[in-house]
Structures are given as structure tokens and as C-alpha cells.
Amino acid sequence: MAECPYQKLFIYEIEGELILPPDLADRKFLGCWREGDCSYLFFTLKREREVKALLGEEQIQRYLSETIIDYKDWEAGQPLTPIRLAGFYLCPFWEEPHPQPEEQLIRLDPGVAFGSGFHPTTQMCLRLISRLYHTTTLPTVLDLGTGTGILSLACLAMGAKRILAVDNHTLAIATAQKNAVYNRAENHITFVCGDVLDYLATPADLVLANIFFSVLSSMLDQEVFFNKPWYIFSGLIGTEVNKFITRMQRLPLEVVQVLDDNLWFAILARNTAST
Ligand SMILES: C[S@@+](CC[C@H](N)C(=O)[O-])C[C@H]1O[C@@H](n2cnc3c(N)ncnc32)[C@H](O)[C@@H]1O
């Protein structure tokens, strides 16, 4: 087993937006996450001095904090290892893959984007993708909130031909693009950094949306969204699922299957107005 290249994460919280020099990548920089008024810079080594040196003299940005965590605690709560799930073999890029002949291999470097394959919301999507592609041909996919690109890669492995993958975080898009290259899928996926709500009218055979309840709910408000035959919604927790299904009942969407895992829910839905 090869060693995971990320042991510790050093996360620097800055108020304001930083202009990042292009040579940061050489300094163990994983990426920058923007959230509200703050920027979070991720490194695999301590870089407090370097980050402070990036702050402008005009004091437009302010250094807030340094947090150090184990990489294994970032998403999975355990070391990332290969996972066998619903016919997929998800393998971190630093591990030697050993898929069974019938398994679809997906190589991943999640970095600090969401979508390592360990989270229940992702796993339920993978189960529904596997189920759907075993009975239906779905060449085009709209992946809303792509994260690491894991669900797009799963659809391609199952026979999809063209995918539009959207995320509003540059770090997620950069990670997903890297993962597409690892899987030789870069010619089949178009990545866009933007708000998913601006892409709801995009025609596709299947929509993947593993995203917050508030964003999922906003999708249901848009009539242009209902021009696709199949939908996988995930990211619903607790009572949100019942609220969401009640909303769906007034729309041309039929619930085909609901999965639950550890308080999380995912829904496979069919468009009843679609031929
Ligand atoms: C729960 S993660 C899902 C990642 C991956 N699809 C998976 O299933 O593992 C949700 C992703 O949606 C992105 N996101 C959240 N709100 C968004 C919005 N309004 N527009 C675009 N992307 C959004 C986040 O940055 C995050 O990468």
C-alpha cells in the first residue's frame, strides 16, 4: 500500500479575498476555499509565515486563524482506502488498484473537495446510478454540485457520453478536472464554475444533485428544470426528505426509490411528463 500524500492539513482563515501567486503549488498548497467573506487556504505543511506575507499592506485582508487537523478527519473520519460499492471500485490515486473484472474502476484524489466516496450521500447516489444504468441508456448527464467529480465519473463508467459538471467552488472544479484526467475522462466532461441554479435548463437524460436542501428546494421552484427524464436528489437529512417529497407531488416528478443511510436520504425520481 502506498502512503497517502496528505498527512496533516494546515488551514488558514483569512478575512477577505487574496490574490494567490502562481508558485503557491510548489509550497504544498492544496487550494483556496471561499466561504462568505472569508478565504480558507489549505496546505499540507505549516505555512503561517508565508500566508501572512501574502496579506496586502493596505490591511484589506486580515489573518484570522490557523487550524491543523489530520487529513483522515477531514471527510472520511478514517484513512482513505479503496472502496467496493454497487459495482464501483473507488481507489485513491496513491493506492495500487485491484478491481475485480466486473467492477468499474474510478481513481480519485479528493484533496479537500467533497466526494471521496465515503459519505452516505455520495454512496446512495452511486447505488442509484448503478441501478439506473443497468436498465436505462442515459448518454447525457447534468452533475449539479460535482465536488470531486465522483458521480460524473461513475456515470461515464456506466456508459454516459457527455456530462456538464457544475460547482461554485474553484477548488472543487480544479479537483474534479484533475480526477477527470486520472480517469481519462477529460474529453467527456465539461466543467463549469458557477451557481447550479444558472444551469437548470441544460438538457440532459439524468440530473445528479447531491447538495444542500435549500439549493434542492430552489431547483423545484424552476419550471425550466423539468425538461429531463431522470433525477437523483441527495443530501436530504432527517425530516427534509418528507418536505421535499411533498413538494415533488405538485410537480411532474414521480418518486421511484428512496434510499436512507444514517439519517441521510436520496431519491430517484422520474419525470412523468417526459416520453
Ligand atoms: C455534498 S457535495 C457533493 C459532491 C459530489 N457530487 C458527491 O456526491 O460526493 C455538494 C457540492 O455542491 C457544491 N455547491 C453547493 N452549493 C452550490 C451552488 N449553489 N452552486 C454550485 N455548487 C454548489 C459544493 O461546493 C460541493 O462541492
Side-chain angles (χ1 to χ4, degrees):
M1 186 173 93
E3 200 183 338
C4 172
Y6 317 119
Q7 301 305 317
K8 296 260 179 228
L9 289 179
F10 295 78
I11 308 166
Y12 297 97
E13 184 184 25
I14 308 291
E15 192 177 85
E17 196 168 352
L18 285 178
I19 296 167
L20 303 172
D23 66 338
L24 260 193
D26 313 337
R27 296 186 247 161
K28 305 290 181 195
F29 178 58
L30 285 177
C32 174
W33 192 269
R34 293 267 310 149
E35 201 72 64
D37 294 337
C38 290
S39 305
Y40 297 87
L41 275 66
F42 292 81
F43 291 83
T44 53
L45 283 178
K46 189 172 178 67
R47 288 292 182 255
E48 186 181 353
R49 226 163 2 104
E50 286 88 339
V51 169
K52 284 182 173 166
L54 293 175
L55 304 183
E57 285 183 0
E58 302 83 21
Q59 304 284 307
I60 298 168
Q61 306 96 357
R62 202 157 59 94
Y63 181 93
L64 295 180
S65 67
E66 176 194 60
T67 305
I68 305 168
I69 61 169
D70 286 339
Y71 180 67
K72 67 180 172 51
D73 295 326
W74 172 248
E75 192 191 329
Q78 54 187 302
L80 291 188
T81 49
I83 313 171
R84 302 197 132 89
L85 185 100
F88 298 106
Y89 181 81
L90 309 169
C91 187
F93 88 109
W94 54 86
E95 297 270 354
E96 187 63 37
H98 298 289
Q100 298 297 320
E102 70 283 5
E103 285 176 328
Q104 303 293 345
L105 170 65
I106 298 175
R107 307 293 316 258
L108 283 173
D109 178 1
V112 288
F114 192 106
S116 63
F118 274 80
H119 199 272
T121 59
T122 311
Q123 295 197 349
M124 289 187 291
C125 289
L126 291 170
R127 289 201 167 89
L128 293 173
I129 288 168
S130 174
R131 171 199 157 153
L132 197 51
Y133 273 91
H134 274 109
T135 52
T136 319
T137 306
L138 302 163
T140 58
V141 176
L142 179 59
D143 182 5
L144 299 174
T146 193
T148 59
I150 183 170
L151 302 182
S152 289
L153 295 171
C155 289
L156 280 179
M158 295 301 289
K161 302 290 180 223
R162 281 247 43 96
I163 298 183
L164 179 70
V166 185
D167 205 290
N168 60 359
H169 276 289
T170 49
L171 194 151
I173 290 294
T175 305
Q177 281 171 324
K178 221 170 15 163
N179 285 323
V181 172
Y182 287 140
N183 291 277
R184 301 205 177 102
E186 65 273 31
N187 295 330
H188 299 275
I189 311 178
T190 303
F191 293 101
V192 181
C193 190
D195 195 311
V196 295
L197 298 179
D198 294 332
Y199 293 87
L200 298 185
T202 310
D205 298 303
L206 170 65
V207 174
L208 308 167
N210 177 12
I211 208 161
F212 309 114
F213 176 61
S214 59
V215 185
L216 291 174
S217 298
S218 302
M219 289 177 186
L220 296 191
D221 292 334
Q222 309 290 324
E223 217 181 309
V224 289
F225 187 47
F226 304 109
N227 61 346
K228 296 159 260 283
W230 289 97
Y231 299 77
I232 292 175
F233 300 109
S234 190
L236 299 156
I237 191 158
T239 56
E240 289 173 354
V241 69
N242 290 332
K243 290 185 203 148
F244 196 74
I245 289 175
T246 305
R247 288 277 317 280
M248 282 171 66
Q249 281 161 358
R250 279 176 264 136
L251 299 165
L253 292 181
E254 175 193 34
V255 175
V256 176
Q257 190 173 3
V258 179
L259 294 185
D260 68 287
D261 184 346
N262 233 337
L263 215 64
W264 291 100
F265 294 86
I267 299 172
L268 172 64
R270 196 176 68 86
N271 189 338
T272 49
S274 156
T275 49

